[in-house]
Every structure is written in structure tokens, then in C-alpha cells.
């Protein structure tokens, strides 16, 4: 090993411990000895013989699974105790329809523990405060079942007769609250009833939720170099390999799993999908985030501006309970974990510079648009110029989409290398909507004079808006050809920049 | 067979007859004996030898086809009689450029008969009333050729010299009116000149038309569990199988064809693509629909609110002619036909609850948005507040897109399991546009006071809009933090909810 | 050969010379004898052995490449001279991070020469005038790095310490200005470090840039018959073939490369991607374009309205230098080159009529929307009713998107056979935005009366707008049912057509 790679090796070593540290809570949950004494319930064979007739496709999916090959059958997963909240009697057997991560975790212990503390598992609580205004008011109750909850997860409700409430199931949302209290749904990514490893490693495993205006990760990936290489070299992805280490088991292209969950070099794989993300990107203003691991395996995120808590400190978990700090991964450590993956296929300067380009886009959004727009909204609410009811005034939609839609696309696009999403579907629309909709709406809400004053005050110190007051110049792209020099000496100033009457 | 599946078997039996019943009109059109006496025209060999040079790709596509293997050549399909409307002489032979479903139906009789009475075959008449305002006024005549007609079909026009009018051809719209009077184009789905069965079973067979703002079925499918499984397990789809029965010949994933046309269990395959759809989804207000089969094979749809006609009744077919009722499939029967497919891979409670979630989204759209918006538009027209000319006023675009675009996406998204399309690209936009564009535009058109009155009257009894008048509450998602209790006691009410000055 | 194909053969001959003529500048750049004396630097083996550890994926990609098989190693491409602008010392060797087309061109001479004069190579200068208003003002400097430049190319800047400025690299924009003065980046399409031929022939090779609102070529292709066939028959595309001639080496489907760069019949392949495009499509008003080839290999485009320059004439190249005309390809010759590809799989009348449908859409856009909108903008600027500062007024975004976004989609959609993009995502939105946004904004900017006058004057002679003044008719699609005949005799005229107060 040359000297410089030795140094690089040392430099890497300290943050390679991150995932191991974070995974340490599951030391006692090492994979149980997997032998047939733990499964293969005799009674399960009855299920199969009947379902081969009544739902042949479902049965065949299982037959093609690793489960079937290992002798795991229907009853090993669906068996329930009579006291279980969702136990029903079906053909003389006590079963539950919903198979929860806790059920899967009886064998897949490590994956269960990692998933349990992840941002995915908290997907229901993450949007709880948004449901009333969005899912219910702007949409309607039916949308919670068919919309929000299909990705974030429902709170599965068992009806008096033991059947499942259609308002809450079918559902395979990633943070589903199951009747047994566990959170999540393994089949969200590992499609029933084959539960394939290979399938979940495909980029399409994530598209049901990471698609569309606010998180077009599917489209961004497709439009990136990574997606381009995957599309052409999928046959060489070795997707069904037992281990799936980037740079070793495959090099054709990375998928979502590669960067966010996959093993690379000495970095181990994880089912905690958010661990390697330094920034909060789907917020009005992005922040670098500490990841705080608690003794019980739960995790919290704290902005970098907050002093990271010491080991053993007690923190409010937000649900009324208190957790004890076990470890903290700083934003920098999270970034380095992610970069470890990049380094399998890119040299260090490439990775450093790429991350800098990404960070610069996030900072641009924060300073030029996110902070001033949020401050103006705060002022309009505080001054009673907007009702406190969300979404009864047009500007509230404009502001919401500014950061939740186009602002998220700009930041996601930059993070994953799609120039189209970073710019045309991202920051270009942020700028367009800020200048041609949000500012005019501020004037509409506050009245022209007061609106002008509010805007001027909030934009005064933001360098990115100085062009509005710059000496007026023509630009060929809009067909403007400057009038005669005389006319230009006394330019017409029909309206304040950015104004609409 | 256990008792319960025997019961399920019985319960299913009565609606399994539906497609058989509907197919009964073609009893006399059973597949003709396919032997070489019916094709393999000697003269066709000349075509091949020349086209192998002048258009090698075209010739090769045919060489790779089942047609070539069976001895069917160019002339078997393109041969024409001198009296045919579009007959031309080419290299000494009388041929027609357009090969119609009637031509294909000489061998593929069943497929032809099924297609003939389908909603696909009526695709031209379905939009005839919309072309003047949309294709011609908002767009322009060139758009009918390159836009509308490419999916719906052109009325193919033969010019005086026997050549085809470029305003009407090339065209492979699904409801093309051919020179021989038949409707449709088999190559719309089965690409020339291979006419592959496997290719038409792919989800991509439908994307040319089922794509984009008003019917993003391609995107919805991709973003669904079904699409996720197809993408990863396409190799196991057995797409080239002679029969292609879900649950038997393949179980990896369903494609468009699987659910809308495919065989599953005892449900036979059909080329009548709309048969299993209970709802009209691309309408201002969705309705459950009877499917009425006439003696001549044509079909009509009637809303559930209408008493289904009796067998033998005479019905106006809409084109001036009268048809005699042969059978009626109620909305419930159509739903059950569709559910039969689902049941191959999903248990009954899953299917029932899923359909309930879908229906709830449709009803939500109808009651909260579709009906009130339509009623307000009717009132504005009737009061002379809008000109009768369509699309000369902004509100007309808003209303049109409310049901035709975002409203269709919400309903399609819920029907096929894409939460993104059901919500973010669907009902969220319906709500946003209703509250922040449509209602303000009603006030612009009618004047503030009259607009307020119209809106209040039409929304008064719709529970989904009560939140507009609910006690004002802040919501964390828009950054609002309630002011001091005193201020809250006398809330500022700067404008009527949903208002823009 | 029959008589008619002989005639066709003659007719074709004259334009088949086009690419040969254009390629003639590289006669002296014929592929150098490729033997190991030209590569295989011994020192490169050190790179490999270290990088197999420090970036295993990168090393493996090279191992799987044709380069590795031929003995070409890291140093053959990355070796630099100490005097090179971007030379750095890495592990004792002088290397450059950026490998430019000039470097690749040492072996791939023909490809380099073709690429050098292409529109791709000029991608930076093409948008230079747009960057200030768009990338900087509406967005911000970070967007140039992560947005514009990722497709168009950066001007790579070497910092004092020899490292690359993150504002300019990583970058693989198609027109990147490299430290050695050459333009472009071969890895833009041929992904590092395998540089696969097969991969660059895939339609996904182009998606990173040809995606999104202003050039959704990826989506258009997917929604076309061509994309439908590719998706189902990719296995038969023979993508790895040494030569890749449409109709000979493959017939399953065309990809982007097939039509824009690929060999077909006697038409040779080229790395000049724009050569076969007759129209300028991404402009406010499309024009048929001459392609002027200069003696030095550079190329210029001139509108058809200009008399094509004679051989030997001197032309201003736009960068201050002058070039001598070597040859001119007229719009018609460029169209015929493209049609040659079509003819492999389509008969002549199909191709002629298809092109007619496409041209009609372009002309419709030009006459009905592009020209009047541009003329109105010119007038508003000239009258001082708009500030010369671009994008400080809403109408400037509306006008920009009218031609750059929806207008481009309409034209691209028609050119490649996606009715959805031609119409719903194209001309429908052009029409909607013209009537319901642009015209009202003209009135806002100019005042109601003057706005009405401006609009009336500019639309008066455009047939496509006559419907606005046509006798008022109801239309079923918006729910309008005409009032009683009496009322219709004296129609209410609440507002001027197209007006919003």
C-alpha cells in the first residue's frame, strides 16, 4: 500500500465505525440459528393446497420464494394467538392477515432492529401534523387511505368482527402502525409473497413513494449517470448475490440501495435508510443534522446548530417518553459514510467537489428563497394579514410548493446528479414562482405599499436579489432589443421590479 | 375442495358467465380453420424480395414474425380489390396501404369481434364533440393529425389519386375509421410488421396513449406495486406463451393486459378492453355504468341511475340507428369480473377493501369537487356571466382540467395503486386548484358579492368544505404560530376564506 | 431491381453524399493504425494495482472495458505533460484528471473530428447569453455548476494548486471547455470507465440532458411506437455489434442514436448529432436551417431565408474569427438524410406524410403563437411598458415558457411521434397559456384598452384566432347548454373574448 492510500485508510477508519456503532444496539439480536426447528408448521401445508386453487398466483409467488425453499410456509408468518388484536379464525386456524416487521424480525433480527429505529419507521409521526390541513381539508378522508397512508403507513384498525377497516388496510406504508404495535411493513419494498432480495435491490423498489412532485427520486435517478448505467448494464448487477458489496459483487451501476443502505468497502449494509443523509432536504430551510442514537435503539435528529448531546444524556423523544443517548453521529460523519460508497467508483477530488456542488445548491435555496419566504409568511400571519387557517389563501399554496415541491426537487436533483431536476424542474421554478407569484401575492395580501415595504425589507440583505435593482439591461432571450440611446437615457419604469398590479 | 372454497366457487360462477355472454355474439365467428389454403399468395414473394432491399428493416420485422413462419406474406394482408376505396396499383399489383381490423379479422375472427364492440373502437366518436373547441380552436387543424387522431384515430381520407391524405395518415389510432368502414387499428398495440403477441402484453404496449396529464396510466403503473414487480421480474413473465393465464402461465406481476383483457382462472381473455371497468372515470362526475350488449355486437354504456333495459328492448345507438338489447352487465358484474383477476394473487378481504378505497376516492371527487364545480359552471353560463364560447375565459380551462386532468389522475391513481397520483398529482391539485383558482375565478367572473353568494350556496351542504368556516386554527406546516390569546380572541379576518381580491 | 426502385436509388444518391461531404474534412484523420506501440504504458499497471484497492469499482469498470482488453490503461488516457494547464503530480506521476475529446481523439480520430464540429460541441456558447438572466438572476451561481453546466458543459477552471474548481468540475457536459481548449466530454454519453459502445446506443444514454420540461425527448421516445418496440424487444437490438446499421444489424426498434447518428443503408454513422435536423425547434419561431461546413471543420447554421453562401465565401464565425465555406447542406438535404433512416422500416408515402404532419405542427406554432407573441413582447419592450430587465415581470416567464417549454414539447412531440407531448403537454398548453395567461397579462401590462388594441392588431390576420370572434356557440365539453332561443338571439357578452379583468 502506498503512503497516500495508507493515510486515506486511516482517515477513513474513524467514520467507518459509525454504522457499527449505530448497529451496536442489536448486538443481542444477532441472527438466530436458522434451522427447521423454528419453522415449517405442519398445518401450513393445508393453507398451500387450498390457496393453490383459490389464489394460484399468490401461492406460486410463495413457491418461488426463498421461504419455500427453506421450508417456511404460510402459517409460520400468519399464525396468531387468540389474544392478538387482529386474530381471526380462518378454516379452523387462528391467523392474522397483517404480518408485521416484528413477525419478520423473529428470523430477520438484524434487519428488524435496523429498520425499527429508522426514519422509515417514523413515517407516520412525521406527517401527523400535516394530515388535518392537507389530507383532510384540501383533500378529504378517503385520501388518507388511498394517498398519504399508502406511503407513510396507516394506523391499522381492527373492527369489532376481527376484520380490518378498509380506511386503514390494504396498506403497506413504510411506517404502518401494526396491530402488534410495531412500525413498518417489510412488503413495502420486498413485494409479497416472494419477498425477494433481488427485487428490493432494484431502483424500482422505491418508486411507489419516491416519485412525483415532492420527491421525484425515481425520475432523478433515471436522469442521472447512475440511472443511465443501470439501464444499460442491469444484467451485470448480480442482484441475486448473497452479499451485495459495491465494487466487489457489482460495479455496473449503483441503485438506491447501494448508496442509502448498501455495503461498500468496509461500510456495512443497513436497513436504516436515512443514516447517511446529512441534510434535511424536505423542509422550508435545510439543516445539517446530528443523528442521535438512544439506548433503546430509537433515533432522533437534531440540527447542527444545537450542541450535540453527551452520551448518557436524557432526551425527550417527542412522544412523551425519554431516551438515553448512546451515540451521536455528526453531520460530517454521516456525510463521510455516504462518501465511502462514492469512493468505490470515484476518486476523492470528484467526491469532494460533487458534494460541494450539492451543498452550494442547498445553501442557495436556504438563503435566497427558503429563509426570506418563511420570514415573510411569518410576518403576514403575525400581522393578521392571513387567516391562521392553512390553505384558504392562494399564497399558502405558493409558499408550500416553493419548498415542498420545486424546492425539494432542486435539492434532491443536485444531490443525485440530475441537472434537469436541479434546475428546470427545481430552482428555475423556485425562482419563477418566487418572483412572479409569491411576491405579487404578498402585495395582494398586504396591499401594494405595505407589500413593497415587507418585500424590500426581507430581500434587502440577500445578495441573490440584487439584480432586481441592477441597472436595467436587455437580454436577447426575451427578444428585447434596446431602444435608441436617447430613450435608454430616460428609461421607462412602468412598475416596481417583480410587481404585478 | 373445502366447504368455503366451494361456496366461493358458486358465488363466482354467475358472473364468470359475463364475458362468455358478451362474447356470444361471435359464436359464429369462431376461428376459421387456419391452413395454407387461406393464405400464402404466390405474388407476395415478389414484394419480399424487393422490400428486402428498399426497406430492409420492414422486411426483417416480418421475417421474424409468426406470420412469416406460418407462410402469411405481404399480399395476404395488403391485397385489395380494384373497387376498394383505397386500392392503388403498386409494381403492377392492386394493394391497399391500410390494413384494417376487418382484414386482420379474416383470420383473427374472435379478436376482431371483441374489438369491434369495444370502447377502443368508438374512440373517434367519443371525442367528436370535443375536437372543435380543443383540437381546432385552442390548437389548430394540424393538431388533429399529430395529436388527437394519433390516439383516438383519424377518419382516413383517400385523395383523388388514390394516395392517403397526410392530414389523416400515417395513423394507428385505436378507433381509426378505415376506408373499408371498419374501426380501429391492430397495429396500435401490435407494432408493425411483427405483430407480436408478447410485445402487446407488455405494459409499454399502451403507453403511447395512456400517458400524460389526463391519463397517466403508464406512470401510475410504474409507481404501483404491480409495476415494481414487473420491472424486477419481467424475465419470468412468460410473455410469449401460447395462452397467458394469470396465476397459471405467469405470476410475477400483472401488466395492463392482465387486468383489462387477460385470462385469469376461469375468466376468459377478451379484446374488449373496457368491459371490466365499472366506473366512468374521465368525466366531470363519475358514474357506475351498465354495459349493454346489442344483438349486432355493438355496445352501449348507461349510467346505473337508469333502469337497465330488458332483453329485446330497442335502444338508440347514438348514430341514428337502433339496436336490440341482447344482454346487460350491471356495474356490479363488471366489478366482479375485474375482481376475479385480483383474486389470483390477493385474498378476498384485500380485494374488497382495496375496491372500497378506490370507490371512496371517486365519491369524494364527485361530491366535493365534481358536482359543485359543474353546477357553478352551469349557473355562470345560464346567467350569461360566461360567453357560450368554450375556452375564451380562464375559468373554463380551470374547470376542464379540474376533472379532465388532476381529477382523472386522482381517480386513476386510486384505481391502480399509485398513492403519488391519487394524491400529489391528483386530489391535492384538485383541491389546490378548486380553492385557490376556481373559486377566485368565480368571484372574478360574477363579481365579488355575487360570486360569494354563488359559492356559499353551492358549498353549503357539502361536508368536505366545512373546514373553510371552522374555528381558525394554526398549522405547523405553514409556519403559523398562533398570536397571543388576546389577539386570538379577536381574530383578524382579512378576507373571505378562499378569496383573492 | 425494378424500374421504380432504380429511380428511387438515383433520387437518393445525391443526398447520400451529404454526410460523406461533411465528413470529408477528416479524410486526413482516418483511424490511426491501432497497435500496441501506441499505448500500454508500463507505468499504468501501478495505477491499476493501487486503484483496485482504493476504488475497486472504478478499476473493475475499466477491467470490463474494451480498453482493458486492448491493453489501454489509465496512463494512456490520464498521462499529462508538466506544462499542461491541469497537470498534477499523483503518486509520482504527472497526470491530468480531465480526459478531453482531444485525448480520446488520438485513437478515435473520426469520432473526434465529427464531434468537434457538432452542435453538441457548441453547447456552452449556445447558452452563454442566457446564463446571466436565468442561471444567475432567477437561480444563482450554484445553479450554473449543478444545473446549466452539467448538460451544456462548464469552462473547467484549474486552481492555483492544480486542483479543479468545484464550481466547474465534476462536469461531463457535452460542450465542456477543457483545459486543453478542446470542447466536449466523451464520457457524457459513454459512461466512465467502461466507455461502452453498447451503452451509448441505448436511448438512456441521452436522458440526463434530453429530459424534462424543455426537451422531454426521453419521455417522448418512451411514449412513441419506437419506444414501445424498444422496450419489448431490447434483447434483439444487437447493441454490442461492431457495426450497427439499421435494417441490417438490427430491426427491432430505433433508438436516439439510430436516427440522429446511426448508419442506415448507405447513410454512414456520424458523431455530429445535429446534422440531420432541418428545423431549429428550440426557438421562439422555428426556421429551416442551412448547415454550412467550413474548411476548418467548424459548422454554422443559417436560416433558409438567407441565400446559402457559395463555396469559398468567408463567414464570421461569431467568435471574432472568420471561416471559409467548404460546403452547404440545405434544409431539404438534411431532411432527406434523416428520411433515409426512416425508409429502412417505413415506405416512402409513410415517411413523406409523417414529415408533413410534423412540419404542419411547426408552422402552426410559428404562425399562430410564436410570431404574434414575439411581436407583442417586442412592442411592449419598445413602448417601455416592460422594463428591459428580463424575468422581473410575470409575462416574461409566460412568454419564455410558451416557446421554450410547451412550445418545444409540441414541436418535439410531433417530430418523434408522441401524441401526448404534441398535444396535451405541448400545443394544448401553448393555447391555454396564450389565451388564459399571456393575453390577460398583455392587458395588465398595457392597461385594458391599449392591451385590447395591441392584441386585436396582432391577432387580426391570424386565421387560427378567428374563433374568438366567431358566432358564439355552446360546447358540450364544458357543460354549457344553450339558453332559450330568445336569449341566444341577444347573447350576453360579459367580456371581450380571452379577457380577464
Amino acid at each position: 500500500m502506498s503512503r497516500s492510500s495508507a493515510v486515506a485508510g486511516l482517515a477513513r477508519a474513524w467514520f467507518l465505525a459509525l454504522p457499527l456503532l449505530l448497529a451496536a444496539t442489536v448486538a443481542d439480536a444477532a441472527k438466530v440459528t436458522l434451522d427447521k426447528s423454528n419453522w415449517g408448521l405442519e398445518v401450513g401445508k393445508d393453507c398451500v393446497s387450498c390457496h393453490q386453487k383459490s389464489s394460484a398466483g399468490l401461492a406460486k409467488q410463495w413457491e418461488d420464494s426463498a421461504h419455500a425453499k427453506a421450508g417456511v410456509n404460510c402459517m409460520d408468518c400468519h399464525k396468531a394467538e387468540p389474544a392478538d388484536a387482529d386474530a381471526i379464525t380462518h378454516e379452523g386456524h387462528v391467523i392474522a392477515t397483517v404480518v408485521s416487521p416484528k413477525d419478520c424480525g423473529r428470523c430477520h433480527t438484524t434487519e428488524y432492529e435496523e429498520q425499527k429505529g429508522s426514519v422509515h419507521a417514523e413515517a407516520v409521526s412525521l406527517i401527523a401534523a400535516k394530515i388535518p390541513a392537507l389530507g383532510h381539508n384540501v383533500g378529504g378522508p378517503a385520501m388518507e387511505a388511498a394517498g398519504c397512508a399508502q406511503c407513510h403507513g396507516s394506523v391499522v384498525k381492527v373492527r369489532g368482527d376481527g376484520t380490518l377497516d378498509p380506511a386503514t388496510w390494504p396498506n403497506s406504508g413504510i411506517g404502518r402502525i401494526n396491530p402488534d404495535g410495531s412500525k413498518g411493513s417489510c412488503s413495502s419494498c420486498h413485494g409479497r409473497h416472494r419477498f425477494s432480495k433481488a427485487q428490493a435491490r432494484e431502483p424500482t423498489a422505491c418508486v411507489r413513494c419516491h416519485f412525483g412532485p415532492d420527491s421525484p427520486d425515481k425520475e432523478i435517478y433515471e436522469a442521472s449517470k447512475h440511472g443511465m448505467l443501470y439501464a444499460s448494464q442491469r444484467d451485470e448487477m448480480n442482484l441475486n448475490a448473497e452479499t451485495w458489496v459495491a465494487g466487489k459483487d457489482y460495479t455496473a451501476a449503483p441503485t438506491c440501495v447501494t448508496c442509502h443502505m448498501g455495503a461498500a468497502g468496509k461500510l456495512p449494509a443497513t436497513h436504516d435508510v436515512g443514516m447517511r443523509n446529512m441534510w434535511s432536504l424536505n423542509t422550508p430551510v435545510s439543516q445539517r443534522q446530528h443523528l442521535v442514537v438512544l439506548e433503546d435503539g430509537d433515533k432522533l435528529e437534531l440540527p447542527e446548530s444545537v450542541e450535540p448531546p453527551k452520551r448518557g444524556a436524557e432526551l425527550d423523544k417527542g412522544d412523551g417518553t425519554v431516551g438515553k443517548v448512546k451515540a451521536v453521529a455528526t453531520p460530517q460523519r454521516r456525510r463521510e459514510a455516504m462518501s465511502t460508497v462514492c469512493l468505490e467508483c470515484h476518486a476523492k477530488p470528484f467526491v469532494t467537489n460533487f458534494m460541494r456542488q450539492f451543498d452550494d445548491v442547498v445553501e442557495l435555496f436556504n438563503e435566497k428563497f427558503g429563509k426570506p419566504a418563511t420570514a415573510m409568511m411569518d410576518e403576514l400571519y403575525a400581522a393578521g394579514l392571513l387567516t391562521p387557517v392553512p390553505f384558504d389563501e392562494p399564497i399558502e399554496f405558493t409558499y408550500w410548493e416553493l419548498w415542498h415541491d420545486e424546492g425539494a426537487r432542486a435539492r434532491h436533483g443536485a444531490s443525485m446528479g440530475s441537472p434537469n431536476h436541479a434546475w428546470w424542474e427545481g430552482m428555475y421554478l423556485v425562482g419563477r414562482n418566487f418572483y412572479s407569484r409569491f411576491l405579487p401575492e404578498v402585495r395582494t395580501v398586504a396591499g401594494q405599499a405595505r407589500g413593497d415595504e415587507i418585500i424590500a425589507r426581507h430581500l434587502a440583505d440577500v445578495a441573490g436579489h440584487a439584480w432586481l435593482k441592477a441597472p436595467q439591461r436587455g437580454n436577447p432571450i426575451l427578444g428585447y432589443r434596446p431602444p435608441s440611446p436617447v430613450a435608454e437615457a430616460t428609461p421607462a419604469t412602468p412598475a416596481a421590479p417583480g410587481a404585478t398590479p
Side-chain angles (χ1 to χ4, degrees), chain A:
Chain A
M1 191 186 278
S2 74
R3 235 167 332 160
S4 74
S5 18
V7 171
L10 275 173
R12 272 196 219 172
W14 73 270
F15 69 81
L16 283 174
L18 164 66
L20 297 171
L21 184 68
L22 300 187
T25 52
V26 298
D28 57 337
K31 220 159 199 163
V32 297
T33 314
L34 296 182
D35 67 61
K36 301 218 168 176
S37 64
N38 288 319
W39 60 72
L41 288 171
E42 195 61 24
V43 72
K45 290 172 187 165
D46 291 353
C47 313
V48 174
S49 74
C50 188
H51 275 281
Q52 279 171 333
K53 294 180 203 95
S54 71
S55 47
L58 187 157
K60 185 68 167 49
Q61 288 160 355
W62 167 79
E63 285 166 32
D64 291 340
S65 72
H67 281 161
K69 284 180 193 71
V72 177
N73 66 37
C74 314
M75 282 302 277
D76 293 313
C77 305
H78 284 283
K79 185 172 185 288
E81 299 303 320
D84 289 351
D86 58 341
I88 53 169
T89 302
H90 173 70
E91 301 289 330
H93 303 297
V94 179
I95 65 161
T97 300
V98 173
V99 176
S100 79
K102 206 174 196 170
D103 295 324
C104 303
R106 282 184 292 141
C107 295
H108 302 277
T109 46
T110 308
E111 291 78 5
Y112 170 54
E113 292 290 340
E114 290 168 351
Q115 173 270 344
K116 198 168 80 78
S118 72
V119 67
H120 268 168
E122 294 305 322
V124 170
S125 64
L126 276 174
I127 58 159
K130 297 185 176 71
I131 295 281
L134 281 165
H136 287 184
N137 289 0
V138 175
M143 292 319 302
E144 194 176 354
C148 323
Q150 288 300 327
C151 284
H152 286 267
S154 62
V155 181
V156 178
K157 190 175 158 194
V158 185
R159 292 189 288 199
D161 61 356
T163 60
L164 301 172
D165 183 344
T168 67
W169 188 88
N171 186 281
S172 54
I174 199 77
R176 188 182 65 196
I177 313 288
N178 299 296
D180 65 8
S182 69
K183 294 173 181 174
S185 163
C186 301
S187 77
S188 191
C189 312
H190 298 270
R192 281 170 298 173
H193 273 98
R194 188 187 288 201
F195 304 104
S196 159
K197 206 162 52 193
Q199 174 256 306
R201 288 167 176 166
E202 299 260 6
T204 48
C206 312
V207 303
R208 199 168 51 99
C209 302
H210 293 271
F211 190 118
D214 63 332
S215 55
D217 304 309
K218 181 258 192 190
E219 297 93 324
I220 290 171
Y221 175 79
E222 278 187 3
S224 74
K225 278 279 190 80
H226 291 164
M228 160 179 121
L229 293 176
Y230 166 81
S232 67
Q233 300 172 0
R234 176 174 174 255
D235 292 346
E236 303 169 42
M237 291 295 291
N238 204 11
L239 289 161
N240 217 14
E242 185 53 33
T243 65
W244 200 58
V245 183
K248 179 172 152 271
D249 296 313
Y250 67 105
T251 56
T255 72
C256 314
V257 164
T258 303
C259 302
H260 293 280
M261 305 171 72
K266 288 173 186 164
L267 187 75
T270 176
H271 268 65
D272 179 350
V273 74
M275 209 177 69
R276 303 172 189 172
N277 291 337
M278 177 182 87
W279 286 106
S280 64
L281 290 187
N282 290 59
T283 48
V285 175
S286 289
Q287 295 194 293
R288 289 176 173 84
Q289 303 262 323
H290 294 296
L291 182 66
V292 181
V293 189
L294 304 177
E295 294 285 356
D296 61 5
D298 279 0
K299 292 177 191 135
L300 291 171
E301 296 211 313
L302 292 175
E304 194 185 31
S305 52
V306 169
E307 183 70 20
K310 301 258 180 271
R311 184 167 183 152
E314 296 197 329
L315 286 184
D316 183 348
K317 289 167 66 175
D319 62 355
T321 68
V322 164
K324 219 167 202 171
V325 174
K326 175 169 183 170
V328 177
T330 62
Q332 188 55 23
R333 286 184 86 172
R334 301 173 82 176
R335 166 61 57 84
E336 284 163 343
M338 178 65 85
S339 298
T340 302
V341 186
C342 310
L343 287 166
E344 280 304 308
C345 296
H346 298 282
K348 187 96 184 213
F350 186 104
V351 177
T352 310
N353 279 15
F354 177 86
M355 291 299 185
R356 171 71 184 278
Q357 291 181 357
F358 164 37
D359 293 346
D360 284 352
V361 168
V362 177
E363 304 281 13
L364 171 67
F365 175 80
N366 277 352
E367 302 305 321
K368 183 165 176 179
F369 302 109
K371 288 180 183 175
T374 301
M376 285 188 263
M377 288 297 285
D378 280 351
E379 182 168 339
L380 296 175
Y381 281 121
L385 292 165
L386 289 172
T387 71
V389 178
F391 298 119
D392 64 337
E393 284 132 334
I395 195 174
E396 296 176 303
F397 286 102
T398 307
Y399 169 71
W400 162 257
E401 294 182 10
L402 199 72
W403 64 264
H404 181 265
D405 288 12
E406 44 269 19
R409 290 196 294 268
R411 290 173 280 179
H412 283 231
S415 74
M416 297 199 293
S418 165
N420 170 61
H421 292 87
W423 176 238
W424 288 124
E425 305 202 33
M427 203 72 83
Y428 165 74
L429 291 179
V430 171
R432 181 195 75 176
N433 293 349
F434 185 83
Y435 291 120
S436 79
R437 300 185 188 175
F438 185 77
L439 296 187
E441 285 167 352
V442 169
R443 292 190 185 93
T444 299
V445 163
Q448 184 76 27
R450 188 167 177 187
D452 281 344
E453 185 277 321
I454 291 172
I455 291 169
R457 182 156 34 80
H458 285 281
L459 302 192
D461 298 329
V462 185
H465 299 296
W467 67 275
L468 286 171
K469 292 180 290 187
Q472 303 197 339
R473 287 168 307 157
N475 189 290
I477 63 178
L478 290 172
Y480 173 68
R481 283 166 293 274
S484 71
V486 178
E488 210 167 31
T490 56
T493 51
T500 46

